[in-house]
Amino acid sequence: MSGIRLAAGGRIDRTKPLRFVFDGKPYQGFAGDTLASALMASGVSVVARSFKYHRPRGIMGIGAEDPSALVQLGTGAGSEPNLRATQVELYDGLAAASVNRWPSLNFDLGGFNGLLAPIFVAGFYYKTFMRPKWLWDRVYEPFLRRMAGLGRAPAAPDPDSYDHRHAHCDVLVVGGGAAGLAAALAASRNGARVLLADEQAEFGGRLLDLPDHLDSRPAAEWAAAAVATLADTAEMRLLPRTTALGYYDQNYLVLLERVADHLPPAERRGQVRQRVWHVRAKQVVLATGAHERPLVFADNDRPGVMLAGAAAAYAHRYGVLPGRRAVVVTNNDSAYCAALTLSDAGCEVAAVVDLRAVADGFWPEAARQRGIPVLPHRGVVGVAERGGVSAVEVRSLDASGQSVTGARHRIECDLLAMSGGFNPAVHLFSQSQGKLRFDEALAAFVPAVAVQAVRVAGAANGCFALGDALAEGAAAGAAAAADAGFAGGTLPSMPSARRRIETPLKPVWLVPGEAPPGKGPAKHFVDFQNDVTAADIALAAREGLRSVEHVKRYTTTGMGTDQGKTSNVNALALLSEAVGRAIAETGTTTFRPPYVAVPFGALAGMARNELVDPARQTPIHEWEAAAGAVFENVGQWKRAHYYPQAGEDLERAVRRECLAVRDAVGIFDASTLGKIEIRGADAGVFIDRVYVNGFKTLGVGRCRYGLMCRDDGMVFDDGVTTRIGEQHYYMTTTTGGAAAVLDWLEEWLQTEWPELKVYCTSVTEDWATVALSGPKSRAVLEALRPSFPVDPATFPFMSLQSGSVAGIPARVFRVSYTGELSYEICVPSTRGREFWEAAMEAGRAHGITPYGTETMHVLRAEKGFIVVGQETDGSVTPDDLGMGRMVSKTKDFIGRRSLRRSALVAPERKQLVGLLPKDPGVVLPEGAQLVRELKQAPPMAMVGHVTSSYHGARIGRSFALALVKGGAARLGETLLAPLAGRTIEAVTVAPLFYDPEGKRRDG
């Protein structure tokens, strides 16, 4: 292929030259070029290497269907791999590089793989790399990892910005070609809100690629007028450079808009590069066009072998001749139009090789009148190469069309344009769960039965005649508007297109050659990116693979970045012939989103860095930070882990904080606890069903600890719930489980018990919670001038007082998570810091000390209090935790039936126990596995694991909580924790290490 820029013509702007670099060499193109057209105009014939054999590849297509022309775009952090040169809009300063080659594109040592082609057949990796295992570990895997992949993803953070937007419309039209424009005109004419999306920079589709006429004027002019009309229409949104990626349930589609990809990186900074659209449409019209099929013949992958329609489009749209002398090989009439277009542009068309026995009708006759030789009933049997196509070898076909006969006929050329028919782009229709049928006349799959509110028009529906596509698009748009609720069904007038009678296509899935595939030096490629040949398909069939899904994975056909847009139908047709069944019976592979590759940055949108998981801060956070707190992440919350003083590490700070709580008073920010208001006439009934213990009879102003199970009987969450009024409850949850608990409650209310009059509201952010804990906590509370008495008789354990504290409205709960006298004071969030500072001032005389989550964990573990998610892991029941007595015997609740299963009451289940290391100075690692019998080497029978482990400042030694098989009945036994280089011995005890009588909770 030796491309040349035409002196005139095309849709490029020759007054705006653009400089770019490919593989370090400078070139020039024009505004309106793609990277592919600019490279072609510069005479670059080899732009890539294939994946397996590293064979040289040229430009084969013109859009998303191109399987070969992959490049690495840009440098540094903004670099992006595996973009198609056919879809990269040229801009000044663009820098691109070829991929999958070393040391260079023209001299690639990976080409040595081609010599190993007899070994690298389909499935060779399944047969070669299995044994011996040591060879896989030391040779195969490291080598394959170095060889794998095409382009290289940058390691640095993406500097670009991305966005997501949601939209609703009455009619979404996907595809801005003839049918899509007609559908949008009709739908908008009938009053519908319309969104029209097309992947190209200009609307018009194939109307821009070929010299068609509508109403005796160039079709491109009609397209421009239609777009102008749509742009001036109210309730109309045009989205060029926008590709529909996926079609999901209930007419929900995801689109990717390339907002600034056509701009130089310097101009792109500060604005959104790409935008993901989430569109919900009442009606959808798919006018996604069709992909031209390549032909499978000997050496059909040479640089300079192109799809006929693409070759013509480069000449007509971009003013670039892909070659000076061309041969066209085809089994249908469309290639004749391409030949005439090339001829009009100045390319010498040496011949049209027609695989059909008879080449007559309008198009062949038009070619003959132009002086183009037409060679019917012939096929290409070889392609000569000298840095690209230099000639083709043609032979006649026998009467059956299954083999060649006669002498070779050599035709000198530098371009071979091929056409095997067209595959309607049914990807989105299939993703919508629509059913396909195989059209024998078109030799392609077309839409058959729609499941959602969708219509397909134009080439995507197998309608290729321009006039028919316009009419079908207009009818689809009008019908979609009517079904969306807009009466009238008005059809706009459509231009007329000249109708020409065409000769039917002849399906040819494998062009006969001089040797069967796999028997000679020539290769017959089906998948041009992954180097899958017709011989590979035949081998897979011989080895017993009959499902097209299995063959796809065994041979890797259709698994490249193009996802088989040009290869899949040829592959399944060859498979069908090999196993002796109809193509319709073989069926297609599954069409999955996304339709084209999507940058991860676009999927993430603005959810990056801090926004990917927003950090939540309590109202007291700034005070804590100023006090030197070290924070930890708990869910999305920033929580004070500990408050080190000068010279203190974690261990010393926690020891000091623990002793302060045990001996005087500590203050703790508990604002992150989940808080849910539950109201309604049936609130008590509902909470009774959610918790394993009873709440319906809980008195107003009283609190109760509750345990919540999933329906499989496993502990889900815990917390204290208070009855504030007859129909008003206040539930607290774990910090990390707040959202999940609210979701759980709503799921049961909305799907299982909708008859209950209950309303749940998250109020976590509404209240700041400050815990005062320690023997002097009552004195601190009294110093804060509460509006209610706080003596033990009036304010007993597990009760609520409401009023004001320090002049601030408050709810005060007499609950304890440390085992000491404690109060949890809830005040409005806006006054949280004010109250905290007041409490610090009131407690100064009593030695008040702020403490963090690490201290809180030590204190609660000394009392044997659990943490859901630490002492539980989704496989733990209330009985396993020693809380079986909490489980009601008289009421039903979520998980009750499961708790009766024999497996959940087996005596050898893991149960919560305490552990005391025999060396009181050694702290067991959390997560350490426990054994009863130590062996010289693994495997050993693991009987449990450590869930929490600390050094207790007040008890003066290390201790731990653990889940141990049958542990509750084996207190006093010695367990061993085998660790790297040492073994720790510990004795099982009851999981309660401090104040077993519970005297300290009342001060």
Side-chain angles (χ1 to χ4, degrees), residues 105-244:
L105 181 60
N106 291 321
F107 180 69
D108 181 11
L109 289 178
F112 177 75
N113 290 356
L115 301 177
L116 301 178
I119 300 174
F120 290 172
V121 295
F124 77 94
Y125 27 81
Y126 296 116
K127 306 166 188 174
T128 306
F129 301 136
M130 302 298 291
R131 294 179 181 84
K133 188 177 185 303
W134 68 266
L135 202 57
W136 168 260
D137 293 334
R138 300 178 188 177
V139 179
Y140 292 151
E141 184 180 28
F143 174 75
L144 290 174
R145 285 192 180 278
R146 283 195 296 269
M147 291 290 290
L150 295 170
R152 292 288 181 263
D158 189 343
D160 290 311
S161 299
Y162 303 88
D163 186 24
H164 283 218
R165 187 170 294 181
H166 295 259
H168 291 76
C169 61
D170 298 314
V171 180
L172 168 64
V173 180
V174 181
L181 290 174
L185 287 168
S188 62
R189 180 72 58 86
N190 285 277
R193 292 177 303 156
V194 180
L195 193 155
L196 172 63
D198 188 84
E199 65 181 355
Q200 299 192 62
E202 285 186 273
F203 291 99
R206 295 287 287 175
L207 298 180
L208 309 180
D209 294 343
L210 296 171
D212 287 316
H213 282 73
L214 292 170
D215 284 346
S216 301
R217 64 171 174 167
E221 292 184 9
W222 176 85
V227 172
T229 299
L230 293 171
D232 290 338
T233 302
E235 302 289 356
M236 181 78 200
R237 185 190 294 273
L238 299 174
L239 289 179
R241 298 187 176 96
T242 302
T243 303

Side-chain angles (χ1 to χ4, degrees), residues 470-553:
L470 286 167
E472 192 169 89
D483 286 351
F486 296 88
T490 303
L491 286 174
S493 60
M494 288 290 111
S496 61
R498 181 179 299 178
R499 181 177 295 275
R500 300 179 177 93
I501 298 175
E502 296 190 353
T503 305
L505 167 148
K506 175 188 177 183
V508 177
W509 306 113
L510 177 64
V511 177
E514 295 176 337
K519 298 298 184 181
K523 298 185 183 303
H524 306 68
F525 284 95
V526 177
D527 186 306
F528 294 82
Q529 186 174 120
N530 285 345
D531 286 329
V532 181
T533 66
D536 292 326
I537 304 294
L539 176 61
R542 290 198 303 273
E543 295 189 348
L545 299 174
R546 300 178 64 85
S547 165
V548 67
E549 295 283 8
H550 293 161
V551 171
K552 172 181 177 179
R553 286 151 182 82

Side-chain angles (χ1 to χ4, degrees), residues 55 71 107 123 263 277 366 429 566 576 606 784 835 853 898 913:
R55 288 169 68 100
V71 298
F107 180 69
L263 300 176
W277 287 83
F429 181 80
T566 56
S576 299
M606 297 184 68
L784 289 168
F835 178 78
T853 55
S898 296
V913 298

Side-chain angles (χ1 to χ4, degrees), residues 165-395:
R165 187 170 294 181
H166 295 259
H168 291 76
C169 61
D170 298 314
V171 180
L172 168 64
V173 180
V174 181
L181 290 174
L185 287 168
S188 62
R189 180 72 58 86
N190 285 277
R193 292 177 303 156
V194 180
L195 193 155
L196 172 63
D198 188 84
E199 65 181 355
Q200 299 192 62
E202 285 186 273
F203 291 99
R206 295 287 287 175
L207 298 180
L208 309 180
D209 294 343
L210 296 171
D212 287 316
H213 282 73
L214 292 170
D215 284 346
S216 301
R217 64 171 174 167
E221 292 184 9
W222 176 85
V227 172
T229 299
L230 293 171
D232 290 338
T233 302
E235 302 289 356
M236 181 78 200
R237 185 190 294 273
L238 299 174
L239 289 179
R241 298 187 176 96
T242 302
T243 303
L245 302 176
Y247 195 144
Y248 304 92
D249 292 342
Q250 299 176 335
N251 269 16
Y252 167 59
L253 288 90
V254 175
L255 318 177
L256 177 68
E257 181 186 7
R258 297 176 298 282
V259 180
D261 278 358
H262 60 293
L263 300 176
E267 295 181 28
R268 190 186 301 165
R269 296 291 182 263
Q271 63 176 300
V272 170
R273 176 195 165 197
Q274 293 181 349
R275 176 177 292 119
V276 173
W277 287 83
H278 304 264
V279 180
R280 187 79 69 175
K282 291 181 180 179
Q283 298 287 319
V284 173
V285 177
L286 297 178
T288 47
H291 300 131
E292 192 164 16
R293 266 196 310 263
L295 288 166
V296 181
F297 54 86
D299 295 327
N300 59 338
D301 71 323
R302 305 293 195 198
V305 178
M306 293 185 65
L307 295 172
Y314 281 111
H316 181 74
R317 182 170 183 173
Y318 297 105
V320 178
L321 277 186
R324 291 176 171 80
R325 196 166 195 265
V327 170
V328 177
V329 57
T330 184
N331 65 351
N332 66 91
D333 277 2
S334 70
Y336 285 92
C337 180
L340 293 170
T341 302
L342 289 169
S343 177
D344 287 339
C347 176
E348 178 187 355
V349 181
V352 176
V353 178
D354 199 324
L355 294 160
R356 296 173 293 186
V358 177
D360 55 14
F362 174 84
W363 289 109
E365 186 58 32
R368 291 187 180 99
Q369 291 179 6
R370 187 70 64 84
I372 299 173
V374 176
L375 309 178
H377 214 218
R378 289 174 175 83
V380 173
V381 297
V383 181
E385 177 190 21
R386 286 197 305 272
V389 174
S390 60
V392 298
E393 302 284 346
V394 177
R395 291 185 67 181

